[in-house]
Amino acid sequence: MPANSSGPSVKKKGRRARLIVLVMVLALLAGLGYGAYWSVDGVRASHPQTTGSLKLPGLTGTVDVKRDEHGIPQLYADNDEDLFRAQGFVHAQDRFWEMDVRRHMTSGRLSEMFGSGQVETDAFLRTLGWRQVAQAEYDTKLSPETKKYLQAYADGVNAYLKGKSGKDLSVEHAALKLTGDYTPEPWTPVDSVAWLKAMAWDLRGNMQDEIDRSLMAGKLSPQQIEDLYPPYPFDRNKPIVEGGSVSGGKYAPQGTASAGSTGAGTTGTGTGTSGTGTSGTGSTGTTGTGSQATPNGGITTGLADNASAQGASVGLRTQLSSLAKTLDEIPAILGPNGSGIGSNSWVVAGKYTTTGKPLLANDPHLSPQLPSVWYQMGLHCRAASPRCQYDVAGFTFSGMPGVVIGHNADIAWGMTNLGADVTDLYLEQIKPDGYVYDNKVVPFTTREEEIKVAGGKSKRITVRTTNNGPLISDRSDELATVGSRAPVSGSAPDRGDGYGVALRWTALDPGKSMDAVFKLDRAKDFAGFRAAARDFEVPSQNLIYADNKGLNGNIGYQAPGRIPIRGAGDGRMPAPGWDPKYAWKGGKDGATGYVPQDEMPYDLNPTRGYIVTANQAVTESGTGAGKYPYVLTTDWGYGARSQRINDLIEAKTKDNGKISTDDMRTMQMDNSSEIAALLTPMLTKIPVSDPDVRSAQKLLDDWNYTQEPDSAAAAYFNAVWRNILKRAFGDKMPKELRVTNSCMNVQDSGNGPADDLADVVRECGTRGSDSAQPDGGDRWFEVVRRLVKDEKSPWWKSPGTVREKPTTTRDELFARAMKDARWELTAKLGKDQSTWSWGRLHQLTLRNQTIGTEGPGFMRWLLNRGPWNLGGGEATVNATGWNASSGYGVTWVPSMRMVVNLNDLDKSRWINLTGASGHAYSAHYTDQTTLWAKGELLDWPFGKEAVDKATVDTLTLKP
């Protein structure tokens, strides 16, 4: 590992030895070995007390915990600290195993629980340094008030833990106790803060795209890569805000109507022209400078001056593939980073609703987990006062105080991932005594880390950090040789033993996002909402807003976040770390290095009467009139979901129509497929001679493009779509992007051309199933939309087989895909088409996030639940995503759904993916899932009278 000749190395270990012991113990706990005692006592001992009274040390008064029939708690207290102390206690009652695993992950200490198999993961997480940054935030950035709340929350968790261990906490803890000496340590405030780093990691933006483009460059030309990353279609899919402008250091939205009350805050009335541009074929990207915006679309052509992006990426291919593999193995709390991770949110002004006040909907799209990442809860002060400021309900994160998404008595808010480009990979030239920067050798900043290993010897690692961030290439033997063959310009320093790779990421600088959570929870108007958003630095989220002020209330939007201003380069490819021109402006901690918060886009009461955010472009960047002067990213989602929501709202409000709460719910379950509407008319016109294939083709004749669970047409179309992607694009991808074990014969070019004399070798894919390409998301919708107009595009060429001729045109490849799909579904669902259904292919299984994912079949049966046959699909509003490279199983879901009624908060509705409890045999483990799958919502009581009416269990916590 040349680039790491003086640095640390972590060798691979067996990952499952301790896990096997755990599952054997759990089998005993389930009653198979120790009899009925363990079955009842071991499983149910950890179930929480929900009635009567308990003492909670540290309280200054009583706290009532009122649970409804689904176990959802509403907490009532007389001061803030008692409220958050009780929240910590209740979270621990229902979800402590989840909390405990999560804090070990965020601090790089999974090996302490699960043994040597997690050492490499821990080493990578220690290198990122989430825990150190969280500690720095707590020590230097967070307000005294926030620290007080965090400590109260930690005290509540620890009060629950006191005197408990093993089976008193969870079945999983019982297993750990019997297989070793593991005992949970006390909870700390920094454990809560570190959770935000994990959340930011999973929502980090375009890092995967940056890696993928570099890997593609080893096999595809710059123009081919550009074909696969088309510009955002501003002419067809609306951005979130249109036509705003930056003037005098302030952002001014266009077309903003007056607010319903002065409390909504002062806003500008910008006169910029519409931000709706035209979509072209893109052009070669140019180097960005300072805050100068660059157009969306082109592929940057160099890692350094005059260097070829394609040539450099050839040298990086092996190393970046190793990094991609490492990223795949990091436990993602929210889900793998890719096109699916996003959300829907929209808000409709009161003039267009049946209630006369705004309606706000939100459904974040994350990976399916058991238990759900969300925990529903209400936090209420019995009487408002300076000592007790909260009356809020919504979705919380176990392990963190406050409500993340929801509403209080005055406002409601939702979130979707903004997708800002907040990460860059930097090539670093490594020397024995440091790294090269500006023609000088600079010493590394280093720290020693000890990784304790359950059942084994501790491991020590050295973390090395450059001015661009931690040297993540130290965590992989292959990645450590990064740049050993990468061609660069003549001005680049001698590569020596090779280049390393450093990560620059905004979340590695301490921030104040935890402050923002509490500010949101108690905001009373748009001004307070925007003030809270200023502190929501990472992860960068689209925040939508509604209130009940004035005649019709107000609706709004704010794009917050710490967005870097780059020097040279545009963040689409790895940059030369030795060249100061490519550094982020302002230095490591310079505030001037980020887009000013006053200049971030926002909107208030737009004249169109609604706001939609679904991971589409926030606005159109550029230098002309009506263009935003900063580049937030060039890797937006492509707007398939957002435009469908826009269309649904416009159709419903046409001719003075009004939207109801149930209409909002129905929109959340919309299963329409944009790519099906584009391709189906073409597919049905292709001549087919095989009677079995023709029979399947007829399924599409009268199909309305909706993907209902019982639809045979949806099953067949999605199989055709998957096979189109495979033949047109997947088989042309480098092995590093193809799904693991997808093998094909290729010509081995070695060090020469891949001509007719080259040897044919067997090449297998190496990418994990969640991030393999093509994944079939809305980027691929846009790719195909542009290519179908050219019936003889080279992309439609695919090789022949012993029985099949090569394809050279669009319709030939489509016909082959229809045939392949017919026989694929025959193998999966049977020959009888009357038994086919999309739901049989598109299934959701909820898996326990530790033993349920890697344990043997019997333990998965004990801890996991499902399957459920689902409708919806990739890039639909009902975003039950799937990766077309690896199969049809559900990989993304609306992790919760809510509709807030600002006219009567007690008529709001919500649902979680699973249930309130993390205990496998609790009645509330998955009691919401079937309702969720059907698109139903639960009543969401908020006022005291409504809560009391819904209460079935009351627990009183006493000092």
Side-chain angles (χ1 to χ4, degrees):
M1 39 190 291
N4 193 35
S5 56
S6 62
S9 174
V10 179
K11 303 297 184 182
K12 293 187 176 181
K13 302 292 185 182
R15 291 186 176 274
R16 299 190 178 184
R18 181 169 169 83
L19 184 60
I20 291 173
V21 177
L22 291 178
V23 298
M24 291 175 64
V25 172
L26 283 174
L28 297 177
L29 291 176
L32 300 180
Y34 285 1
Y37 171 79
W38 279 111
S39 177
V40 175
D41 185 67
V43 171
R44 296 182 181 176
S46 59
H47 289 192
Q49 178 179 335
T50 59
T51 60
S53 63
L54 287 171
K55 287 188 176 182
L56 177 52
L59 290 178
T60 60
T62 62
V63 178
D64 291 324
V65 182
K66 301 183 177 185
R67 296 177 184 260
D68 67 10
E69 62 179 328
H70 293 281
I72 299 170
Q74 304 279 345
L75 279 56
Y76 289 85
D78 293 320
N79 63 75
D80 296 338
E81 289 178 83
D82 280 0
L83 196 58
F84 294 119
R85 183 174 283 104
Q87 185 182 21
F89 184 89
V90 173
H91 272 166
Q93 278 189 308
D94 280 333
R95 298 284 191 91
F96 185 69
W97 171 255
E98 174 193 14
M99 294 164 60
D100 203 15
V101 171
R102 181 181 296 156
R103 67 165 163 175
H104 279 78
M105 192 272 280
T106 58
S107 59
R109 296 171 55 199
L110 289 168
S111 299
E112 295 179 22
M113 298 182 77
F114 302 111
S116 61
Q118 298 301 319
V119 167
E120 282 191 351
T121 296
D122 284 346
F124 187 80
L125 294 170
R126 298 282 186 101
T127 299
L128 292 178
W130 293 351
R131 178 76 183 195
Q132 284 74 18
V133 179
Q135 185 69 59
E137 285 185 359
Y138 185 80
D139 291 341
T140 66
K141 294 291 185 178
L142 298 182
S143 70
E145 183 179 55
T146 293
K147 292 182 181 181
K148 181 175 65 175
Y149 296 158
L150 287 165
Q151 186 60 59
Y153 181 90
D155 290 344
V157 176
N158 292 328
Y160 178 76
L161 293 180
K162 187 174 182 179
K164 294 183 175 68
S165 64
K167 66 182 181 181
D168 298 324
L169 295 172
S170 71
V171 169
E172 296 92 336
H173 279 108
L176 287 181
K177 188 70 174 177
L178 291 178
T179 58
D181 58 357
Y182 177 78
T183 299
E185 62 189 32
W187 193 267
T188 72
V190 179
D191 291 333
S192 298
V193 178
W195 153 250
L196 288 172
K197 298 303 164 187
M199 181 181 175
W201 175 255
D202 288 348
L203 301 172
R204 63 191 176 272
N206 77 334
M207 182 173 169
Q208 191 68 60
D209 288 325
E210 187 174 339
I211 292 170
D212 287 356
R213 279 189 289 263
S214 298
L215 293 172
M216 286 179 187
K219 191 170 184 178
L220 305 177
S221 71
Q223 181 57 53
Q224 287 175 313
I225 298 174
E226 190 167 325
D227 287 345
L228 302 185
Y229 287 88
Y232 185 89
F234 285 100
D235 60 333
R236 193 176 66 256
N237 296 341
K238 296 178 182 178
I240 297 172
V241 298
E242 299 178 81
S245 61
V246 174
S247 179
K250 301 282 187 181
Y251 181 87
Q254 183 187 44
T256 297
S258 60
S261 75
T262 56
T266 302
T267 63
T269 56
T271 58
T273 59
S274 172
T276 302
T278 58
S279 60
T281 58
S283 60
T284 300
T286 57
T287 297
T289 56
S291 63
Q292 181 75 26
T294 57
N296 183 14
I299 300 298
T300 299
T301 58
L303 296 177
D305 294 341
N306 303 315
S308 162
Q310 181 184 14
S313 294
V314 171
L316 292 173
R317 185 167 66 239
T318 299
Q319 295 80 6
L320 291 176
S321 174
S322 177
L323 174 57
K325 183 178 179 182
T326 301
L327 298 180
D328 278 343
E329 293 174 352
I330 300 303
I333 289 181
L334 304 182
N337 185 266
S339 66
I341 196 162
S343 306
N344 298 325
S345 69
W346 66 94
V347 60
V348 181
K351 65 180 179 179
Y352 290 126
T353 70
T354 59
T355 68
K357 291 292 177 71
L359 294 171
L360 184 150
N362 195 192
D363 55 287
H365 306 154
L366 307 172
S367 65
Q369 299 189 24
L370 184 59
S372 166
V373 70
W374 300 107
Y375 185 92
Q376 296 149 290
M377 179 178 272
L379 302 172
H380 308 277
C381 288
R382 294 189 181 99
S385 71
R387 295 181 63 248
C388 205
Q389 307 171 74
Y390 294 89
D391 187 17
V392 60
F395 293 86
T396 72
F397 290 137
S398 302
M400 196 177 93
V403 169
V404 178
I405 295 175
H407 71 81
N408 58 34
D410 298 292
I411 75 165
W413 67 94
M415 298 184 188
T416 64
N417 193 26
L418 192 149
D421 185 359
V422 295
T423 59
D424 279 340
L425 297 175
Y426 283 90
L427 299 182
E428 303 287 359
Q429 206 230 358
I430 307 301
K431 296 290 186 179
D433 51 352
Y435 61 97
V436 175
Y437 182 72
D438 197 16
N439 296 316
K440 301 179 182 66
V441 176
V442 180
F444 290 108
T445 300
T446 63
R447 70 175 187 273
E448 299 294 321
E449 296 273 355
E450 181 182 10
I451 300 174
K452 297 179 180 179
V453 182
K457 185 178 179 181
S458 296
K459 305 292 183 181
R460 297 192 66 83
I461 66 169
T462 299
V463 176
R464 302 190 293 177
T465 301
T466 73
N467 64 323
N468 291 313
L471 202 67
I472 57 177
S473 52
D474 280 349
R475 301 280 67 86
S476 165
D477 287 349
E478 282 188 307
L479 187 59
T481 63
V482 66
S484 62
R485 299 184 305 277
V488 292
S489 72
S491 62
D494 176 53
R495 73 178 73 248
D497 289 331
Y499 298 139
V501 177
L503 172 66
R504 183 75 169 96
W505 177 33
T506 56
L508 297 184
D509 296 336
K512 300 187 289 184
S513 294
M514 197 69 238
D515 284 346
V517 173
F518 296 113
K519 288 182 179 180
L520 274 174
D521 286 355
R522 61 177 184 261
K524 298 197 177 292
D525 52 35
F526 192 60
F529 167 79
R530 292 192 69 202
R534 293 181 70 90
D535 289 339
F536 210 104
E537 297 165 326
V538 291
S540 185
Q541 298 289 285
N542 294 306
L543 298 178
I544 61 166
Y545 167 92
D547 69 36
N548 53 17
K549 306 292 192 301
L551 179 63
N552 295 121
N554 299 287
I555 64 172
Y557 164 81
Q558 177 69 57
R562 184 187 290 157
I563 315 299
I565 299 174
R566 292 171 173 84
D570 62 5
R572 293 172 64 83
M573 290 282 194
W578 54 81
D579 189 339
K581 290 186 300 186
Y582 288 81
W584 289 4
K585 288 185 175 278
K588 183 172 177 58
D589 296 308
T592 58
Y594 303 107
V595 177
Q597 288 299 302
D598 285 341
E599 299 182 23
M600 289 291 286
Y602 79 94
D603 215 345
L604 176 65
N605 295 328
T607 54
R608 64 182 175 272
Y610 61 88
I611 301 169
V612 175
T613 82
N615 317 116
Q616 80 271 38
V618 171
T619 187
E620 186 173 7
S621 296
T623 57
K627 301 292 182 66
Y628 186 63
Y630 300 100
V631 175
L632 302 179
T633 185
T634 57
D635 288 308
W636 304 110
Y638 281 77
R641 283 180 288 108
S642 62
Q643 193 55 44
R644 176 61 177 172
I645 297 167
N646 274 296
D647 292 344
L648 290 170
I649 294 172
E650 289 177 2
K652 191 68 181 178
T653 57
K654 186 178 180 181
D655 299 326
N656 297 317
K658 303 288 186 179
I659 293 176
S660 69
T661 301
D662 197 57
D663 290 331
M664 300 283 275
R665 180 196 66 81
T666 300
M667 291 178 190
Q668 288 178 323
M669 295 301 295
D670 182 81
N671 288 329
S672 178
S673 169
E674 179 188 278
I675 194 63
L678 173 68
L679 297 185
T680 299
M682 301 178 193
L683 296 172
T684 56
K685 294 177 182 177
I686 295 174
V688 174
S689 58
D690 186 308
D692 290 318
V693 179
R694 174 59 184 143
S695 177
Q697 185 188 35
K698 287 182 179 179
L699 292 171
L700 303 178
D701 285 347
D702 299 316
W703 184 41
N704 64 357
Y705 318 133
T706 60
Q707 301 168 98
E708 300 299 329
D710 60 355
S711 172
Y716 181 59
F717 173 81
N718 282 317
V720 174
W721 171 236
R722 168 170 147 82
N723 280 280
I724 288 173
L725 290 169
K726 179 181 184 300
R727 289 194 171 275
F729 309 106
D731 290 347
K732 299 178 179 70
M733 291 284 173
K735 66 180 181 180
E736 294 88 356
L737 269 69
R738 298 200 313 270
V739 70
T740 301
N741 297 326
S742 62
C743 301
M744 57 189 295
N745 294 328
V746 300
Q747 290 178 313
D748 182 16
S749 62
N751 292 321
D755 56 25
D756 291 342
L757 299 182
D759 293 333
V760 175
V761 297
R762 193 70 170 164
E763 181 185 83
C764 297
T766 61
R767 180 62 67 84
S769 60
D770 287 329
S771 57
Q773 294 296 330
D775 61 14
D778 66 353
R779 173 165 67 87
W780 294 98
F781 291 9
E782 191 64 21
V783 168
V784 171
R785 180 184 295 277
R786 288 165 173 267
L787 292 175
V788 290
K789 300 173 185 177
D790 182 359
E791 297 185 22
K792 295 183 179 181
S793 167
W795 288 106
W796 305 131
K797 295 181 179 180
S798 68
T801 66
V802 175
R803 298 182 179 180
E804 302 283 355
K805 295 180 180 180
T807 67
T808 59
T809 68
R810 180 197 69 194
D811 286 356
E812 287 175 356
L813 186 139
F814 282 12
R816 178 78 66 80
M818 286 197 291
K819 183 176 181 179
D820 292 345
R822 176 47 162 115
W823 299 120
E824 181 184 4
L825 293 197
T826 296
K828 292 180 179 293
L829 302 179
K831 188 173 183 180
D832 183 358
Q833 292 174 193
S834 68
T835 68
W836 290 3
S837 70
W838 175 226
R840 287 181 61 199
L841 282 177
H842 192 52
Q843 293 185 324
L844 168 67
T845 298
L846 293 172
R847 294 179 174 88
N848 177 286
Q849 288 302 294
T850 49
I851 297 164
T853 58
E854 293 191 33
F858 174 72
M859 293 311 305
R860 292 198 296 269
W861 178 80
L862 284 177
L863 296 175
N864 298 343
R865 299 292 183 270
W868 285 265
N869 295 350
L870 299 185
E874 187 72 19
T876 63
V877 180
N878 182 21
T880 57
W882 54 287
N883 188 308
S885 288
S886 54
Y888 304 96
V890 175
T891 58
W892 301 101
V893 292
S895 56
M896 63 80 160
R897 297 186 183 101
M898 74 175 193
V899 178
V900 181
N901 183 330
L902 273 297
N903 183 61
D904 186 347
L905 293 171
D906 289 330
K907 292 183 179 179
S908 300
R909 310 273 287 168
W910 61 354
I911 196 78
N912 204 351
L913 173 64
T914 62
S917 180
H919 299 289
Y921 293 94
S922 165
H924 304 305
Y925 191 45
T926 56
D927 60 336
Q928 298 185 51
T929 307
T930 298
L931 298 171
W932 171 92
K934 294 178 180 178
E936 298 181 21
L937 300 175
L938 301 176
D939 291 336
W940 183 355
F942 180 72
K944 188 174 186 308
E945 182 177 344
V947 169
D948 287 344
K949 184 177 180 180
T951 297
V952 296
D953 286 339
T954 300
L955 173 68
T956 300
L957 301 175
K958 298 181 177 180

